[in-house]
């Protein structure tokens, strides 16, 4: 995004579009290139806008983001536990709905970040809802190739919706597309690191419980499930706060 900022430094509209496509990346890259364009009035304005210290506002925004991440993580965990609540076959449920534990909450997170228009929000909401209805009303024929292909491609479709929201619904936002690919790379790395830490903590917990002769049913049925469901939201939050 550095090159895009430099090329469009005299174009306020283009800079605003870049900023809305990915606020964290724009802030980071702008601060890198700003020393080379000192004295430019538009650059000076953006420097003040991005770096003006207002602890109360920043603190409130940070607390709100954290609170929403916690709520989304809990909701994802509750969706993951629906088979236990309603006595649904786990294989049947997870094969069809694994994508809905992850992507709707990430989509909602980036809708808030990108200030998507109401029309596009309604389109995405309808598309996600229609996908959930379709896959769950599909006849339960385990030998159906159509069902198998639908279960495989549904997460890819939801990932596409996430990308659409990430770039602000602007299909010609080419820098935004590259930022989305970069986000996916960061997401994989961060999720892997957190997952490894979670496995280490699980190993220590299992060892302590065995020493204490305490059953592990509660841990694996609740703590582990909610932890896995929260992993995408927590990873995204960390990436956005620490680009």
């Amino acid at each position: 995004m550095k090159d895009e900022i430099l090329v469009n430094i005299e174009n306020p509209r283009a800079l605003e579009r870049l900023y809305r496509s990915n606020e964290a990346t724009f802030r980071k890259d702008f601060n890198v290139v700003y020393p080379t364009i000192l004295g430019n009035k538009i650059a000076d304005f953006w420097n003040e806008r991005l770096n003006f210290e207002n602890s109360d506002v920043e603190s409130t925004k940070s607390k709100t983001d954290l609170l929403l991440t916690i709520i989304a993580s809990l909701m994802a965990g509750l969706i993951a536990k629906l088979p236990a609540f309603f006595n649904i076959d786990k294989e049947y449920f997870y094969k069809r709905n694994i994508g809905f534990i992850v992507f709707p909450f990430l989509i909602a997170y980036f809708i808030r970040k990108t200030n998507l228009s109401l029309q596009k929000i309604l389109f995405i909401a309808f598309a996600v809802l229609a996908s959930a209805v379709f896959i769950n009303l599909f006849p339960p024929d385990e030998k159906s190739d159509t069902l198998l292909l639908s279960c495989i491609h549904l997460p890819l479709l939801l990932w596409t919706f996430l990308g659409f929201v990430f770039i602000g619904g602007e299909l010609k936002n080419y820098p935004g597309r590259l930022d989305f690919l970069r986000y996916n790379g960061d997401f994989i790395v961060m999720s892997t690191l957190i997952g490894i830490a979670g496995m280490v903590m699980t190993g220590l917990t299992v060892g302590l419980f065995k020493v204490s002769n305490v059953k592990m049913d509660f841990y694996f049925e609740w703590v582990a499930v909610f932890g896995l469901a929260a992993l995408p939201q927590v990873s995204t939050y960390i990436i956005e706060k620490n680009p």
Side-chain angles (χ1 to χ4, degrees), residues 51-63:
N51 299 307
F52 182 77
E53 295 295 331
N54 190 328
S55 57
D56 293 336
V57 174
E58 289 299 323
S59 177
T60 301
K61 183 179 180 181
S62 179
K63 289 180 180 178

Side-chain angles (χ1 to χ4, degrees), residues 49-115:
R49 176 180 178 183
L50 296 174
N51 299 307
F52 182 77
E53 295 295 331
N54 190 328
S55 57
D56 293 336
V57 174
E58 289 299 323
S59 177
T60 301
K61 183 179 180 181
S62 179
K63 289 180 180 178
T64 301
D65 289 343
L66 179 59
L67 178 61
L68 292 176
T69 299
I70 293 173
I71 293 174
S73 299
L74 292 175
M75 292 179 65
L78 290 174
I79 293 177
K81 290 295 296 181
L82 284 179
F85 296 149
F86 298 101
N87 196 28
I88 303 172
D89 180 70
K90 291 183 178 180
E91 182 179 356
Y92 173 91
F93 177 83
Y94 289 123
K95 183 168 67 175
R96 296 170 183 247
N97 295 283
I98 189 68
F100 296 105
I101 300 175
V102 177
F103 290 104
F105 302 103
L106 295 180
I107 290 172
Y109 181 88
F110 285 109
I111 284 177
R112 178 172 176 269
K113 288 288 184 180
T114 56
N115 298 316

Side-chain angles (χ1 to χ4, degrees), residues 3-28:
D3 293 337
E4 291 291 324
I5 293 173
L6 291 173
V7 169
N8 295 289
I9 195 61
E10 299 292 344
N11 188 339
R13 184 178 181 84
L15 288 177
E16 184 66 26
R17 184 163 51 248
L18 285 173
Y19 174 72
R20 294 192 182 193
S21 69
N22 192 321
E23 296 180 14
T25 301
F26 183 92
R27 184 189 301 272
K28 175 176 69 75

